[in-house]
Structure formats: structure tokens, C-alpha cells
Amino acid sequence: MDSAHVTDVASRYANFGQYEVRGRNPVYSAWTEGVAEDAEISALITELPPLRRQPVLLFAAARFAGAAETTEYDEFRTFLLGNWERIAEIAMTHSTQTNEAKRTACLLPFFSAAAASSARAGTVSLIEAGASAGLCLYPDRYNFRFHTEGSD
């Protein structure tokens, strides 16, 4: 189940922080950790419809409303409380487009198999059918590392 269907805000933000932004985005890491532990802010977010509670959407709305890009959660929290009406309005009227090349990682084994069996060995043609601005047309230009439980 994706995080859009998690109704518990604290869990949703904790999971987002742990699995999506940890080690990649210190600002969002600090904000998700703070929200996950903050009952008052979680309650405000719960007032939004479930699909509008997305961490990326809420954080983008806060930044759009003028939130500083800071890892100090208390500063972010103060901004949220002082500007909640505007942030909620932005979250209700805007959406995010999160296209990431890492989505192609699960397709790499299939691309390899197709390339190995193609008439011109190593050649595969791709067509972009989504809204990812062509990012998914170049899986050979990205590096992926696969980790399993207990691997480094």
C-alpha cells in the first residue's frame, strides 16, 4: 500500500522520512521527523483530505507560502502554525509532479533480457508514455544499486 492510503499522519510522515528522504534531503528529514512526533501539527494535517496530506505536497505548499528551507523543526513548526490557512489552501489547489528516474530500476532486468534477445544485440527502443519529461527513456544513463536485507 502506498503512503497516499495511510490515514495515520504520524506514521505516514515517519515512513516518508525513513524510506524516501533519509540521507537524501536533510530539510525534509527534519520536517518529517518533527511532524511524526508532533500531535498538534499532525492534527492540522488530518483536517486535509487524505490525498492532500502527502508530505511532498504539504512541504511544497509551505515553501510556496514562504517557509524557510531550514532543518530547525521548531522554526518550520512556528511557520506552519502561523500560516496554516494559506498552506492548506495551497495544498488544496495545487498538486505535485514527482517524476523520478529511479522508477526504472524495477524494469532493468526486463530491459536486459530484451536487449539480450533482440535482433540487434544490446539494442532496445523505448517510448515515453507518461509525464516524466523523458527521464525514463534513458535507464542506461543512471546508476542503480540494489540492496537486500543484510547487504552493505
Side-chain angles (χ1 to χ4, degrees):
M1 179 180 325
D2 64 62
S3 70
H5 296 92
V6 176
T7 56
D8 176 41
V9 169
S11 295
R12 184 175 188 184
Y13 278 70
N15 287 337
F16 182 79
Q18 181 177 0
Y19 299 111
E20 299 295 327
V21 296
R22 185 179 61 178
R24 295 184 192 134
N25 187 322
V27 172
Y28 280 16
S29 289
W31 292 359
T32 55
E33 183 179 314
V35 170
E37 297 174 1
D38 189 328
E40 184 177 7
I41 297 299
S42 290
L44 281 176
I45 296 168
T46 301
E47 294 174 4
L48 297 170
L51 290 176
R52 298 297 174 168
R53 298 176 192 165
Q54 301 169 44
V56 170
L57 177 60
L58 182 80
F59 296 160
R63 292 283 292 132
F64 191 77
E69 190 172 345
T70 177
T71 57
E72 298 298 322
Y73 178 72
D74 288 339
E75 182 180 336
F76 178 65
R77 181 183 197 279
T78 299
F79 184 85
L80 287 178
L81 291 172
N83 296 278
W84 180 251
E85 226 175 89
R86 176 74 178 126
I87 294 166
E89 176 188 333
I90 293 167
M92 291 297 294
T93 57
H94 291 72
S95 60
T96 60
Q97 183 69 42
T98 53
N99 295 311
E100 294 192 32
K102 71 181 178 182
R103 293 178 181 174
T104 63
C106 62
L107 300 174
L108 289 180
F110 301 103
F111 291 161
S112 295
S117 65
S118 70
R120 289 180 34 197
T123 302
V124 175
S125 295
L126 302 174
I127 298 172
E128 176 63 67
S132 68
L135 289 173
C136 296
L137 291 174
Y138 303 104
D140 57 326
R141 295 189 185 177
Y142 302 105
N143 291 317
F144 296 94
R145 274 189 228 149
F146 295 91
H147 296 278
T148 57
E149 191 74 27
S151 69
D152 290 332

